[in-house]
Amino acid sequence: MKLPKHLNLLLSGIIVIIAGLVYGGHPTVLIPLILDYEVESLELMNMLRAIMGIYVGIGVFWLIGAYNAKVWYSATLCNVLFMGGISFGRIISTLLDGISTPFTPALLLELLFLGWGIYNLKRYGNV
């Protein structure tokens, strides 16, 4: 079954926007519920909301790339770099800090989207 070339951007855009909203939407409530970690300092809340902004901005760019052929290549390249960078960081953390049960599925998805994006870039190129 051949998947449409824009599906990678569409799915990863939606997932990353949701993840960003979870990180920064209401960190003093959501982070303890999901990750069992208390967010108490202003600086940590600021960092989580900054991460939310990055995730939402990048996710919106990927959604635009999914529907606008003129930016598809740039959005897909951005997706590959993002997924490669974040999965690299998680792999380093796994090796140095141990296996994180909540983030292992995220790592697997990031590696999947990384591979899918590389495949799309090779298959469809700069069209």
Side-chain angles (χ1 to χ4, degrees):
M1 175 171 81
K2 182 180 169 191
L3 296 174
K5 74 176 188 175
H6 71 281
L7 189 59
N8 176 22
L9 293 175
L10 180 65
L11 293 177
S12 58
I14 291 168
I15 291 168
V16 162
I17 289 170
I18 291 169
L21 293 173
V22 167
Y23 288 151
H26 202 327
T28 57
V29 173
L30 294 176
I31 297 299
L33 283 174
I34 296 168
L35 300 176
D36 194 31
Y37 180 83
E38 294 296 323
V39 177
E40 297 173 359
S41 76
L42 173 65
E43 289 74 18
L44 183 54
M45 282 187 277
N46 184 279
M47 286 174 53
L48 289 167
R49 290 204 166 116
I51 290 168
M52 174 186 67
I54 292 168
Y55 275 43
V56 170
I58 291 291
V60 167
F61 178 54
W62 295 343
L63 293 178
I64 291 168
Y67 292 102
N68 183 335
K70 291 180 182 179
V71 295
W72 175 86
Y73 184 86
S74 298
T76 302
L77 181 59
C78 172
N79 184 275
V80 165
L81 293 171
F82 180 93
M83 294 299 173
I86 200 165
S87 59
F88 175 75
R90 290 200 204 279
I91 290 168
I92 295 298
S93 178
T94 300
L95 294 173
L96 297 178
D97 310 321
I99 296 172
S100 167
T101 305
F103 286 110
T104 297
L107 172 60
L108 297 175
L109 275 175
E110 290 151 3
L111 290 170
L112 172 75
F113 281 112
L114 170 64
W116 192 0
I118 291 170
Y119 170 81
N120 282 346
L121 287 173
K122 286 184 178 184
R123 176 166 177 116
Y124 300 107
N126 195 2
V127 236

